[in-house]
Amino acid sequence: MSQIKLSPRLQAVADLVETKQKVADIGSDHAYLATYLVESDRVAEAIVGEVAKGPLDNAKKTVANSGLSTKIDCRLADGLFALTAEDKVETVVIAGMGGLLIKKILNDNRALGPFQQLVLQPNTDQDALRAWLVANGYRISQEQLVEEQPHRYEIIVAKPGQEELSDADRIFGPILRKEAGPVFQAKWQHEQARLQLVLDRLEEANQKTNAKYREAAAKIAQIKKELRS
């Protein structure tokens, strides 16, 4: 039983990590996730990668206070460069970053992949991340939407494989849009309302020919279609 209390977002990420594997958490939050996974016997070992010394020191402190320094290795490096093939990491977690940054991290050291499991929690640009996954030998095996007020977080789990995504799959998530649960509905209703405000302001400024106006209008149309389906 772990002594670490995770936020709903990180708990959902932890629950999606397959058990008894060696996991790497890239850009960890004080190594809370890695510590939880090892303490709860979901994984035997973990590697924590941090790009700056301050966060690395925070991670090391959490690990040391939990008595897990022999099981969790905290390393200073940029993204996946914290890992080597000899580490034999099976699952990589990257959570709490923008989707474009996660995509860059995965792309910068593709020679290490494909990993048996990726558990990704992008805060933005989820569509770009999904596109990268299917273009680089991964299929999306699970998706989850977690509400942690005032935010809603998408979690994407990918495994090696082939898959094609439609535009709607890429934007809304191939699994999330099939389930279309209440959090999904709330997320996209909120996004529709936000985009409508953008349209209203541009209309007031006589900017209906503006590219931003056309982009927002097109996205609203996509959302309306998805929520009706």
Side-chain angles (χ1 to χ4, degrees):
M1 183 87 177
S2 176
Q3 301 301 308
I4 296 287
K5 177 68 174 176
L6 299 178
S7 67
R9 173 183 67 89
L10 276 182
Q11 186 63 60
V13 169
D15 291 343
L16 289 167
V17 172
E18 293 183 348
T19 58
K20 306 303 179 187
Q21 295 191 350
K22 189 170 185 179
V23 67
D25 186 12
I26 305 301
S28 72
D29 182 7
H30 288 74
Y32 293 147
L33 179 67
T35 300
Y36 173 88
L37 290 170
V38 174
E39 281 188 335
S40 58
D41 293 324
R42 290 186 64 85
V43 299
E45 296 177 83
I47 295 171
V48 168
E50 290 289 0
V51 73
K53 188 176 182 302
L56 181 73
D57 289 342
N58 292 335
K60 285 181 175 179
K61 183 177 179 180
T62 299
V63 171
N65 289 344
S66 301
L68 294 174
S69 296
T70 61
K71 294 185 177 181
I72 302 177
D73 188 1
C74 300
R75 301 176 181 177
L76 184 65
D78 188 359
L80 291 183
F81 292 105
L83 311 179
T84 67
E86 288 71 30
D87 291 320
K88 296 182 179 178
V89 166
E90 295 154 298
T91 294
V92 170
V93 176
I94 311 177
M97 303 180 196
L100 296 181
L101 179 54
I102 294 176
K103 172 183 163 182
K104 180 181 184 301
I105 289 170
L106 292 171
N107 205 50
D108 280 349
N109 202 2
R110 277 185 297 171
L112 278 181
F115 296 95
Q116 290 183 22
Q117 186 190 40
L118 297 175
V119 183
L120 312 172
Q121 186 268 295
N123 291 338
T124 59
D125 298 297
Q126 294 87 353
D127 55 341
L129 182 56
R130 288 189 182 97
W132 186 94
L133 289 169
V134 299
N136 287 274
Y138 288 97
R139 62 177 178 83
I140 296 170
S141 61
Q142 291 175 273
E143 291 183 308
Q144 193 169 330
L145 254 173
V146 179
E147 195 161 38
E148 188 178 302
Q149 289 294 349
H151 304 294
R152 300 174 185 92
Y153 297 99
E154 292 187 25
I155 306 170
I156 303 168
V157 181
K159 293 186 174 185
Q162 300 298 317
E163 182 177 34
E164 291 186 7
L165 297 180
S166 66
D167 285 345
D169 287 337
R170 180 174 46 79
I171 294 167
F172 301 101
I175 297 170
L176 292 176
R177 64 188 294 254
K178 286 179 182 176
E179 296 173 348
V183 181
F184 178 88
Q185 299 287 330
K187 171 188 168 69
W188 289 107
Q189 286 166 1
H190 180 271
E191 179 64 5
Q192 181 181 329
R194 184 189 72 80
L195 289 168
Q196 188 60 55
L197 284 175
V198 172
L199 286 189
D200 293 345
R201 291 190 185 112
L202 289 170
E203 283 183 5
E204 289 173 4
N206 294 316
Q207 294 289 316
K208 291 182 71 172
T209 58
N210 186 296
K212 188 173 182 180
Y213 182 95
R214 294 194 298 272
E215 181 182 327
K219 189 66 177 286
I220 287 174
Q222 286 178 314
I223 294 170
K224 286 181 176 178
K225 181 179 179 182
E226 189 64 29
L227 294 179
R228 284 198 304 265
S229 62

